[in-house]
Amino acid sequence: MSAEKSPNLIDPIHQFVITTIAPIKIGNVDISFTNSSQFMVIAVIAVMFFFILGLSKRSIVPNRFQIMCELSYEFIANLLRTNVGDQGRAFFPFVFSLFMFIFFCNLIGLVPYTFTVTSHFAVTFAFAGLIFIGVTILGFVKNGFGYLRMFYPSGVPIYMAPVIIPIEIISYLSRPIALSVRLMANMLAGHSIIKIFAGFIVMMGFFGVIPLAGLVAIYALETFIAFLQAYIFTILTCIYLNDALHPHH
Amino acid sequence: MNYIKFSIITILSLYSANSMAEGQGGGLPQMDIGTYPSQIFWLIVTFGILYLFMWKFAIPKLRTTVEERKDKISTDIDDADELKIEAESILSEYEAKITESNTEATEIYNSTKSTIDKKTDLSKQENEQKLKKLIDESQATLKKKENDAIEDIIIKTVETTQFIVEKFINEKISEEEVRKYLN
């Protein structure tokens, strides 16, 4: 790695390197347990811990943990209800798990010396691709070939069709890429900025307090972005679901 | 902020492309396709476990908790409404009882007052009568005593007159004659 060769230089991408912890191979496919897998497990355990702790002593008058659990539940339930409606109920476990997983991965990734699972294109694209394929299948199952009318919005004059339909198809196909790149790029850039600023603090010695102040501000911003990106990912999932369930709106 | 971020990504990509060109085996770790199967495999495993956990444990528990609370609140509100109605009826009952007892009390007061008045009148009359009788009796005795006294005086006078007349003219005079002269 380049960090080993020049230890004094800031290497902002070293934190994204995947290192194998336990090598596993099935046939020719390498599915080793890596630091990425490790932090996926940590995030899932954290989410489970969060809910088990919050729901262990369920009461009518909730304690603080229970309030947090219920707030997250109500938040995602409202998101799904306002964007998809009652038909979205079946997808609530998926959407809720998705939000909690991405949010916890983003948040855990902000702790120094950890790994950000969602900063990798493979993970975000796996989610986005799953959502894209799922929503497309759902759209065709629910609407038949009427789902294709989504590419030709009503009220558009017929002579605009050759222009509109390719644009709509391209925008539809670019959804998973936009969805996954947005999350991954935000995580990648945010963590790189943090690393670079942290390097400045070391380099500037006493005057490092100036980038330190900047780092504190950026950390606050990144904490917000950790939530915001999870929220955006979830709300876009809801919007795509809505498109599949009610394509004519 | 987005502009800064994407310019940083571009710089990073260039940097990694540069290091790749130098043959350092670097490059953005995100672009290392060799790690994709592992990442996706473990993502499916961990997310699958999380999905099952949320689906089978967290969401039903959260749903029942939230719904129990909503039920509890609505039943509490209903109970409160019922109690309010009950309290209002009790209040009106209480007020009715108060007015009833007020009228009863006035009645009792009035009747008692009238009976007491009657009794007082009665005893007053009785006393007056007794007094009158007493006055009459005493007046009568007074009158009698006066008459007796007068009679006594007359008898004494008659006797005195008889005695004087006997002494002076030595002659008995009858009582009737003296009385005749006296009048």
Side-chain angles (χ1 to χ4, degrees):
Chain A
M1 291 297 121
S2 49
E4 287 158 15
K5 284 180 180 170
S6 49
N8 289 328
L9 223 77
I10 311 153
D11 184 7
I13 55 168
H14 179 67
Q15 59 178 319
F16 303 117
V17 172
I18 290 179
T19 52
T20 304
I21 294 172
I24 304 169
K25 265 201 172 203
I26 292 179
N28 269 336
V29 188
D30 177 28
I31 51 158
S32 305
F33 190 81
T34 61
N35 55 350
S36 170
S37 327
Q38 184 196 347
F39 279 98
M40 286 178 196
V41 171
I42 289 172
V44 166
I45 288 172
V47 176
M48 285 179 171
F49 193 68
F50 175 71
F51 281 109
I52 289 170
L53 209 67
L55 298 173
S56 58
K57 278 183 251 163
R58 283 190 302 136
S59 59
I60 295 295
V61 182
N63 60 19
R64 286 168 198 190
F65 249 106
Q66 198 185 330
I67 286 175
M68 288 203 284
C69 290
E70 284 176 16
L71 276 180
S72 62
Y73 170 83
E74 298 264 344
F75 178 64
I76 302 299
N78 277 332
L79 199 68
L80 196 65
R81 202 177 301 125
T82 49
N83 284 295
V84 188
D86 270 343
Q87 281 170 292
R89 272 175 161 271
F91 306 100
F92 181 62
F94 176 75
V95 173
F96 197 17
S97 310
L98 184 75
F99 174 78
M100 292 312 284
F101 186 81
I102 293 173
F103 181 50
F104 270 67
C105 282
N106 292 352
L107 219 53
I108 289 168
L110 280 174
V111 179
Y113 298 107
T114 58
F115 180 86
T116 318
V117 177
T118 44
S119 69
H120 271 259
F121 192 60
V123 171
T124 57
F125 192 76
F127 273 135
L130 174 70
I131 291 160
F132 177 75
I133 293 166
V135 160
T136 308
I137 291 170
L138 186 73
F140 279 112
V141 166
K142 288 268 172 187
N143 308 290
F145 282 99
Y147 190 52
L148 290 174
R149 275 196 63 83
M150 210 182 73
F151 298 122
Y152 179 63
S154 55
V156 175
I158 191 73
Y159 56 85
M160 287 291 282
V163 184
I164 287 290
I165 290 172
I167 290 175
E168 289 286 331
I169 289 172
I170 289 167
S171 85
Y172 187 77
L173 293 176
S174 69
R175 274 176 176 185
I177 298 159
L179 193 59
S180 55
V181 168
R182 183 183 298 110
L183 176 57
M184 168 258 187
N186 267 286
M187 289 302 117
L188 175 65
H191 288 73
S192 301
I193 292 174
I194 287 173
K195 193 68 184 278
I196 290 165
F197 265 78
F200 284 164
I201 297 172
V202 180
M203 272 165 32
M204 286 172 78
F206 175 74
F207 296 101
V209 288
I210 299 158
L212 179 65
L215 185 68
V216 170
I218 287 171
Y219 238 109
L221 181 72
E222 286 305 317
T223 312
F224 171 64
I225 283 173
F227 166 76
L228 188 71
Q229 288 304 322
Y231 172 71
I232 288 173
F233 205 95
T234 315
I235 201 168
L236 284 174
T237 305
C238 291
I239 288 167
Y240 297 162
L241 268 174
N242 187 43
D243 277 349
L245 292 169
H246 328 97
H248 302 301
H249 295 298
Chain B
M1 200 62 214
N2 270 336
Y3 284 112
I4 300 167
K5 279 192 169 170
F6 286 103
S7 53
I8 283 171
I9 290 170
T10 322
I11 293 163
L12 285 175
S13 325
L14 288 174
Y15 166 84
S16 49
N18 189 34
S19 57
M20 259 201 282
E22 282 171 14
Q24 287 174 342
L28 265 184
Q30 277 83 351
M31 296 303 164
D32 185 3
I33 291 170
T35 62
Y36 284 13
S38 153
Q39 288 193 60
I40 291 167
F41 173 77
W42 286 102
L43 178 68
I44 291 166
V45 171
T46 51
F47 188 73
I49 292 167
L50 181 68
Y51 180 80
L52 283 178
F53 170 80
M54 298 298 271
W55 182 33
K56 289 293 175 197
F57 175 79
I59 291 169
K61 270 202 160 185
L62 281 162
R63 188 168 290 153
T64 47
T65 315
V66 170
E67 270 165 20
E68 265 172 28
R69 181 173 307 116
K70 272 182 190 162
D71 285 354
K72 172 97 175 108
I73 289 170
S74 58
T75 50
D76 279 2
I77 288 171
D78 288 351
D79 283 357
D81 282 344
E82 269 172 31
L83 286 175
K84 197 187 167 197
I85 291 164
E86 207 176 301
E88 273 167 0
S89 72
I90 287 173
L91 184 71
S92 57
E93 239 171 70
Y94 168 77
E95 274 168 357
K97 269 190 183 165
I98 280 188
T99 45
E100 200 183 299
S101 48
N102 264 340
T103 49
E104 212 173 300
T106 356
E107 251 171 49
I108 290 171
Y109 171 76
N110 286 339
S111 62
T112 319
K113 203 189 168 202
S114 61
T115 45
I116 287 173
D117 281 353
K118 264 183 210 162
K119 273 188 184 167
T120 332
D121 281 354
L122 217 68
S123 53
K124 214 175 165 185
Q125 277 176 351
E126 257 174 36
N127 284 342
E128 271 174 3
Q129 275 174 351
K130 271 184 190 168
L131 215 64
K132 213 179 173 185
K133 213 172 150 192
L134 222 63
I135 289 168
D136 285 351
E137 272 173 14
S138 35
Q139 271 178 344
T141 35
L142 221 66
K143 193 86 182 165
K144 203 182 159 211
K145 287 215 170 134
E146 199 190 323
N147 286 341
D148 282 357
I150 288 168
E151 192 61 23
D152 228 23
I153 288 166
I154 289 170
I155 287 166
K156 289 283 191 257
T157 317
V158 169
E159 275 173 7
T160 317
T161 316
Q162 275 177 327
F163 184 73
I164 291 167
V165 168
E166 212 184 321
K167 279 279 166 173
F168 273 99
I169 56 172
N170 216 1
E171 196 179 309
K172 276 224 183 192
I173 189 161
S174 72
E175 203 185 319
E176 286 80 24
E177 240 171 318
V178 175
R179 282 189 186 242
K180 211 164 68 188
Y181 285 116
L182 268 174
N183 288 331

